Short mmCIF file of all heavy atoms in Angstrom, two decimals:
data_model
loop_
_atom_site.label_atom_id
_atom_site.label_comp_id
_atom_site.label_asym_id
_atom_site.label_seq_id
_atom_site.Cartn_x
_atom_site.Cartn_y
_atom_site.Cartn_z
N SER I 44 -2.87 32.09 -34.20
CA SER I 44 -3.57 32.51 -35.42
C SER I 44 -4.41 31.39 -36.06
O SER I 44 -5.20 31.64 -36.95
CB SER I 44 -2.59 33.07 -36.44
OG SER I 44 -1.70 32.04 -36.86
N TYR I 45 -4.25 30.15 -35.59
CA TYR I 45 -5.06 29.04 -36.11
C TYR I 45 -6.45 29.03 -35.52
O TYR I 45 -6.68 29.66 -34.48
CB TYR I 45 -4.38 27.70 -35.84
CG TYR I 45 -3.18 27.42 -36.72
CD1 TYR I 45 -1.90 27.61 -36.23
CD2 TYR I 45 -3.36 27.03 -38.05
CE1 TYR I 45 -0.79 27.39 -37.03
CE2 TYR I 45 -2.25 26.80 -38.87
CZ TYR I 45 -0.99 27.01 -38.36
OH TYR I 45 0.09 26.79 -39.19
N GLY I 46 -7.36 28.31 -36.14
CA GLY I 46 -8.71 28.11 -35.57
C GLY I 46 -9.42 29.43 -35.34
O GLY I 46 -9.58 30.22 -36.28
N ALA I 47 -9.82 29.66 -34.10
CA ALA I 47 -10.61 30.85 -33.78
C ALA I 47 -9.73 32.08 -33.56
O ALA I 47 -10.22 33.14 -33.19
CB ALA I 47 -11.47 30.58 -32.56
N GLY I 48 -8.40 31.93 -33.74
CA GLY I 48 -7.53 33.10 -33.63
C GLY I 48 -7.24 33.50 -32.19
O GLY I 48 -6.84 34.64 -31.93
N ILE I 49 -7.48 32.56 -31.26
CA ILE I 49 -7.27 32.91 -29.82
C ILE I 49 -6.42 31.84 -29.16
O ILE I 49 -6.56 30.66 -29.44
CB ILE I 49 -8.65 33.10 -29.11
CG1 ILE I 49 -8.45 33.65 -27.70
CG2 ILE I 49 -9.47 31.84 -29.09
CD1 ILE I 49 -9.74 34.18 -27.08
N TYR I 50 -5.51 32.30 -28.31
CA TYR I 50 -4.62 31.38 -27.58
C TYR I 50 -4.99 31.43 -26.11
O TYR I 50 -5.05 32.52 -25.51
CB TYR I 50 -3.16 31.76 -27.76
CG TYR I 50 -2.21 30.96 -26.90
CD1 TYR I 50 -1.67 29.76 -27.35
CD2 TYR I 50 -1.90 31.39 -25.60
CE1 TYR I 50 -0.85 29.01 -26.55
CE2 TYR I 50 -1.06 30.65 -24.78
CZ TYR I 50 -0.55 29.45 -25.25
OH TYR I 50 0.26 28.70 -24.45
N TYR I 51 -5.22 30.26 -25.48
CA TYR I 51 -5.62 30.22 -24.04
C TYR I 51 -4.56 29.67 -23.14
O TYR I 51 -3.97 28.65 -23.46
CB TYR I 51 -6.90 29.36 -23.89
CG TYR I 51 -8.17 30.18 -23.83
CD1 TYR I 51 -8.95 30.37 -24.96
CD2 TYR I 51 -8.56 30.76 -22.64
CE1 TYR I 51 -10.10 31.16 -24.88
CE2 TYR I 51 -9.69 31.56 -22.57
CZ TYR I 51 -10.46 31.76 -23.68
OH TYR I 51 -11.60 32.52 -23.61
N ASN I 52 -4.35 30.34 -22.01
CA ASN I 52 -3.65 29.76 -20.85
C ASN I 52 -4.76 29.45 -19.85
O ASN I 52 -5.56 30.31 -19.49
CB ASN I 52 -2.67 30.75 -20.24
CG ASN I 52 -1.37 30.82 -21.04
OD1 ASN I 52 -0.97 29.83 -21.65
ND2 ASN I 52 -0.72 31.96 -21.03
N THR I 53 -4.81 28.17 -19.39
CA THR I 53 -5.90 27.76 -18.50
C THR I 53 -5.37 27.35 -17.14
O THR I 53 -4.16 27.17 -16.97
CB THR I 53 -6.69 26.57 -19.09
OG1 THR I 53 -5.79 25.49 -19.26
CG2 THR I 53 -7.27 26.93 -20.45
N LEU I 54 -6.29 27.19 -16.20
CA LEU I 54 -5.95 26.72 -14.84
C LEU I 54 -4.84 27.54 -14.21
O LEU I 54 -3.84 27.02 -13.71
CB LEU I 54 -5.55 25.24 -14.85
CG LEU I 54 -6.64 24.28 -15.32
CD1 LEU I 54 -6.08 22.87 -15.51
CD2 LEU I 54 -7.81 24.22 -14.39
N VAL I 55 -4.98 28.86 -14.30
CA VAL I 55 -4.00 29.77 -13.75
C VAL I 55 -4.45 30.25 -12.36
O VAL I 55 -5.51 30.85 -12.28
CB VAL I 55 -3.77 30.99 -14.68
CG1 VAL I 55 -2.80 32.00 -14.05
CG2 VAL I 55 -3.30 30.56 -16.05
N PRO I 56 -3.69 29.93 -11.28
CA PRO I 56 -4.13 30.42 -9.97
C PRO I 56 -3.89 31.93 -9.87
O PRO I 56 -2.84 32.42 -10.28
CB PRO I 56 -3.22 29.68 -8.98
CG PRO I 56 -2.21 28.93 -9.80
CD PRO I 56 -2.44 29.18 -11.25
N CYS I 57 -4.89 32.66 -9.39
CA CYS I 57 -4.77 34.13 -9.32
C CYS I 57 -5.64 34.63 -8.16
O CYS I 57 -6.85 34.42 -8.17
CB CYS I 57 -5.22 34.72 -10.66
SG CYS I 57 -5.23 36.50 -10.70
N ASN I 58 -5.01 35.32 -7.22
CA ASN I 58 -5.75 35.88 -6.06
C ASN I 58 -6.70 34.89 -5.42
O ASN I 58 -7.87 35.21 -5.15
CB ASN I 58 -6.54 37.14 -6.47
CG ASN I 58 -5.62 38.25 -6.93
OD1 ASN I 58 -4.42 38.20 -6.68
ND2 ASN I 58 -6.15 39.25 -7.59
N GLY I 59 -6.22 33.68 -5.23
CA GLY I 59 -7.03 32.69 -4.50
C GLY I 59 -8.12 31.98 -5.30
O GLY I 59 -8.89 31.23 -4.75
N ARG I 60 -8.14 32.21 -6.61
CA ARG I 60 -9.08 31.46 -7.44
C ARG I 60 -8.48 31.11 -8.78
O ARG I 60 -7.41 31.60 -9.14
CB ARG I 60 -10.42 32.20 -7.58
CG ARG I 60 -10.37 33.53 -8.31
CD ARG I 60 -11.71 34.21 -8.29
NE ARG I 60 -12.73 33.45 -9.00
CZ ARG I 60 -14.01 33.78 -9.05
NH1 ARG I 60 -14.43 34.84 -8.39
NH2 ARG I 60 -14.88 33.07 -9.72
N MET I 61 -9.17 30.25 -9.51
CA MET I 61 -8.66 29.81 -10.82
C MET I 61 -9.17 30.73 -11.93
O MET I 61 -10.37 31.10 -11.95
CB MET I 61 -9.12 28.39 -11.12
CG MET I 61 -8.29 27.33 -10.43
SD MET I 61 -6.66 27.28 -11.11
CE MET I 61 -5.97 25.96 -10.11
N ILE I 62 -8.30 31.08 -12.85
CA ILE I 62 -8.73 31.85 -14.03
C ILE I 62 -8.17 31.17 -15.28
O ILE I 62 -7.28 30.31 -15.21
CB ILE I 62 -8.24 33.34 -13.99
CG1 ILE I 62 -6.71 33.40 -14.18
CG2 ILE I 62 -8.65 34.00 -12.67
CD1 ILE I 62 -6.22 34.81 -14.54
N LYS I 63 -8.74 31.52 -16.42
CA LYS I 63 -8.11 31.19 -17.70
C LYS I 63 -8.17 32.49 -18.50
O LYS I 63 -9.06 33.31 -18.30
CB LYS I 63 -8.82 30.05 -18.41
CG LYS I 63 -10.29 30.28 -18.73
CD LYS I 63 -10.84 29.08 -19.49
CE LYS I 63 -12.36 29.26 -19.74
NZ LYS I 63 -12.94 28.24 -20.59
N TYR I 64 -7.22 32.68 -19.42
CA TYR I 64 -7.27 33.86 -20.23
C TYR I 64 -6.84 33.57 -21.66
O TYR I 64 -5.93 32.80 -21.93
CB TYR I 64 -6.43 35.00 -19.61
CG TYR I 64 -4.95 34.76 -19.46
CD1 TYR I 64 -4.02 35.09 -20.47
CD2 TYR I 64 -4.43 34.25 -18.26
CE1 TYR I 64 -2.67 34.90 -20.30
CE2 TYR I 64 -3.08 34.06 -18.07
CZ TYR I 64 -2.19 34.36 -19.10
OH TYR I 64 -0.85 34.19 -18.94
N GLY I 65 -7.62 34.17 -22.57
CA GLY I 65 -7.36 34.01 -24.00
C GLY I 65 -6.76 35.29 -24.54
O GLY I 65 -7.10 36.39 -24.09
N VAL I 66 -5.88 35.14 -25.51
CA VAL I 66 -5.24 36.31 -26.13
C VAL I 66 -5.58 36.25 -27.64
O VAL I 66 -5.40 35.23 -28.31
CB VAL I 66 -3.69 36.24 -25.97
CG1 VAL I 66 -3.05 37.50 -26.56
CG2 VAL I 66 -3.34 36.09 -24.50
N ILE I 67 -6.15 37.35 -28.14
CA ILE I 67 -6.55 37.42 -29.56
C ILE I 67 -6.05 38.75 -30.10
O ILE I 67 -6.03 39.74 -29.36
CB ILE I 67 -8.07 37.29 -29.68
CG1 ILE I 67 -8.51 37.21 -31.16
CG2 ILE I 67 -8.84 38.40 -28.97
CD1 ILE I 67 -9.96 36.80 -31.36
N SER I 68 -5.64 38.79 -31.34
CA SER I 68 -5.21 40.06 -31.91
C SER I 68 -6.45 40.90 -32.17
O SER I 68 -7.54 40.38 -32.48
CB SER I 68 -4.44 39.84 -33.21
OG SER I 68 -5.32 39.65 -34.30
N THR I 69 -6.30 42.21 -32.00
CA THR I 69 -7.43 43.12 -32.17
C THR I 69 -8.04 42.96 -33.58
O THR I 69 -9.24 42.96 -33.76
CB THR I 69 -6.97 44.60 -31.98
OG1 THR I 69 -6.25 44.67 -30.72
CG2 THR I 69 -8.13 45.54 -31.94
N ASP I 70 -7.15 42.77 -34.60
CA ASP I 70 -7.65 42.62 -35.97
C ASP I 70 -8.51 41.36 -36.13
O ASP I 70 -9.55 41.37 -36.78
CB ASP I 70 -6.48 42.58 -36.95
CG ASP I 70 -5.84 43.94 -37.15
OD1 ASP I 70 -6.46 44.95 -36.76
OD2 ASP I 70 -4.70 43.99 -37.65
N ALA I 71 -8.05 40.24 -35.52
CA ALA I 71 -8.81 38.97 -35.59
C ALA I 71 -10.15 39.11 -34.88
O ALA I 71 -11.17 38.60 -35.33
CB ALA I 71 -8.02 37.83 -34.99
N LEU I 72 -10.14 39.84 -33.77
CA LEU I 72 -11.37 40.06 -33.01
C LEU I 72 -12.39 40.86 -33.85
O LEU I 72 -13.54 40.50 -33.97
CB LEU I 72 -11.07 40.78 -31.69
CG LEU I 72 -12.29 41.21 -30.86
CD1 LEU I 72 -13.18 40.02 -30.49
CD2 LEU I 72 -11.85 41.96 -29.61
N ILE I 73 -11.89 41.95 -34.43
CA ILE I 73 -12.77 42.81 -35.26
C ILE I 73 -13.35 42.01 -36.41
O ILE I 73 -14.55 42.11 -36.73
CB ILE I 73 -12.00 44.05 -35.77
CG1 ILE I 73 -11.75 45.03 -34.57
CG2 ILE I 73 -12.73 44.78 -36.87
CD1 ILE I 73 -10.79 46.16 -34.86
N ASP I 74 -12.52 41.18 -37.05
CA ASP I 74 -12.95 40.35 -38.18
C ASP I 74 -14.08 39.39 -37.74
O ASP I 74 -15.10 39.24 -38.44
CB ASP I 74 -11.76 39.57 -38.73
CG ASP I 74 -12.05 38.95 -40.08
OD1 ASP I 74 -12.74 39.60 -40.90
OD2 ASP I 74 -11.60 37.82 -40.33
N ASP I 75 -13.91 38.77 -36.58
CA ASP I 75 -14.93 37.84 -36.09
C ASP I 75 -16.22 38.55 -35.75
O ASP I 75 -17.32 38.06 -35.99
CB ASP I 75 -14.41 37.02 -34.90
CG ASP I 75 -15.23 35.76 -34.65
OD1 ASP I 75 -15.72 35.15 -35.63
OD2 ASP I 75 -15.42 35.39 -33.47
N LEU I 76 -16.10 39.74 -35.15
CA LEU I 76 -17.28 40.50 -34.74
C LEU I 76 -18.11 40.96 -35.94
O LEU I 76 -19.34 40.88 -35.93
CB LEU I 76 -16.87 41.72 -33.89
CG LEU I 76 -16.32 41.44 -32.49
CD1 LEU I 76 -15.68 42.69 -31.91
CD2 LEU I 76 -17.43 40.92 -31.56
N PHE I 77 -17.42 41.41 -36.97
CA PHE I 77 -18.14 41.86 -38.18
C PHE I 77 -18.67 40.72 -39.02
O PHE I 77 -19.79 40.78 -39.55
CB PHE I 77 -17.20 42.72 -39.08
CG PHE I 77 -17.18 44.18 -38.69
CD1 PHE I 77 -15.96 44.82 -38.50
CD2 PHE I 77 -18.34 44.94 -38.56
CE1 PHE I 77 -15.89 46.17 -38.16
CE2 PHE I 77 -18.30 46.28 -38.25
CZ PHE I 77 -17.07 46.90 -38.05
N HIS I 78 -17.85 39.65 -39.20
CA HIS I 78 -18.20 38.66 -40.21
C HIS I 78 -18.53 37.29 -39.66
O HIS I 78 -18.88 36.39 -40.41
CB HIS I 78 -16.99 38.52 -41.20
CG HIS I 78 -16.62 39.81 -41.84
ND1 HIS I 78 -17.50 40.59 -42.53
CD2 HIS I 78 -15.43 40.48 -41.84
CE1 HIS I 78 -16.89 41.69 -42.97
NE2 HIS I 78 -15.65 41.65 -42.56
N TRP I 79 -18.40 37.11 -38.32
CA TRP I 79 -18.63 35.78 -37.69
C TRP I 79 -17.77 34.70 -38.36
O TRP I 79 -18.27 33.62 -38.66
CB TRP I 79 -20.12 35.41 -37.74
CG TRP I 79 -20.99 36.24 -36.83
CD1 TRP I 79 -20.62 37.30 -36.07
CD2 TRP I 79 -22.38 36.02 -36.55
NE1 TRP I 79 -21.68 37.81 -35.37
CE2 TRP I 79 -22.79 37.04 -35.65
CE3 TRP I 79 -23.32 35.10 -36.99
CZ2 TRP I 79 -24.08 37.12 -35.17
CZ3 TRP I 79 -24.61 35.19 -36.52
CH2 TRP I 79 -25.00 36.19 -35.61
N LYS I 80 -16.53 35.02 -38.51
CA LYS I 80 -15.63 34.07 -39.22
C LYS I 80 -15.64 32.71 -38.51
O LYS I 80 -15.69 31.68 -39.14
CB LYS I 80 -14.21 34.68 -39.22
CG LYS I 80 -13.28 34.04 -40.23
CD LYS I 80 -12.00 34.81 -40.33
CE LYS I 80 -10.99 33.99 -41.16
NZ LYS I 80 -9.65 34.51 -41.01
N THR I 81 -15.57 32.73 -37.14
CA THR I 81 -15.72 31.47 -36.39
C THR I 81 -16.82 31.58 -35.35
O THR I 81 -17.27 30.56 -34.85
CB THR I 81 -14.43 31.10 -35.65
OG1 THR I 81 -14.21 32.04 -34.58
CG2 THR I 81 -13.24 31.06 -36.57
N LEU I 82 -17.24 32.78 -35.01
CA LEU I 82 -18.26 33.06 -34.01
C LEU I 82 -17.80 32.69 -32.59
O LEU I 82 -18.57 32.66 -31.66
CB LEU I 82 -19.57 32.33 -34.35
CG LEU I 82 -20.89 32.75 -33.66
CD1 LEU I 82 -21.18 34.21 -33.88
CD2 LEU I 82 -22.06 31.95 -34.16
N TYR I 83 -16.52 32.37 -32.43
CA TYR I 83 -16.05 31.89 -31.13
C TYR I 83 -16.00 33.04 -30.11
O TYR I 83 -16.66 32.96 -29.09
CB TYR I 83 -14.66 31.24 -31.28
CG TYR I 83 -14.19 30.57 -30.00
CD1 TYR I 83 -14.66 29.34 -29.64
CD2 TYR I 83 -13.28 31.22 -29.17
CE1 TYR I 83 -14.24 28.73 -28.45
CE2 TYR I 83 -12.85 30.62 -27.99
CZ TYR I 83 -13.33 29.37 -27.63
OH TYR I 83 -12.91 28.78 -26.48
N VAL I 84 -15.27 34.09 -30.42
CA VAL I 84 -15.23 35.21 -29.48
C VAL I 84 -16.45 36.11 -29.69
O VAL I 84 -17.01 36.62 -28.71
CB VAL I 84 -13.90 36.01 -29.64
CG1 VAL I 84 -13.84 37.17 -28.66
CG2 VAL I 84 -12.70 35.11 -29.39
N ALA I 85 -16.90 36.27 -30.93
CA ALA I 85 -18.09 37.05 -31.20
C ALA I 85 -19.28 36.48 -30.42
O ALA I 85 -20.09 37.22 -29.87
CB ALA I 85 -18.41 37.06 -32.69
N GLY I 86 -19.38 35.15 -30.32
CA GLY I 86 -20.45 34.52 -29.61
C GLY I 86 -20.43 34.82 -28.12
O GLY I 86 -21.46 35.05 -27.48
#
Side-chain angles (χ1 to χ4, degrees):
S44 64
Y45 286 101
I49 189 165
Y50 173 89
Y51 261 97
N52 281 331
T53 61
L54 299 172
V55 177
C57 177
N58 296 345
R60 64 185 296 174
M61 280 292 181
I62 71 163
K63 59 178 176 172
Y64 61 90
V66 183
I67 187 168
S68 81
T69 310
D70 287 345
L72 173 58
I73 288 169
D74 193 39
D75 197 35
L76 290 167
F77 273 128
H78 305 304
W79 289 6
K80 198 172 169 195
T81 68
L82 197 55
Y83 186 79
V84 181

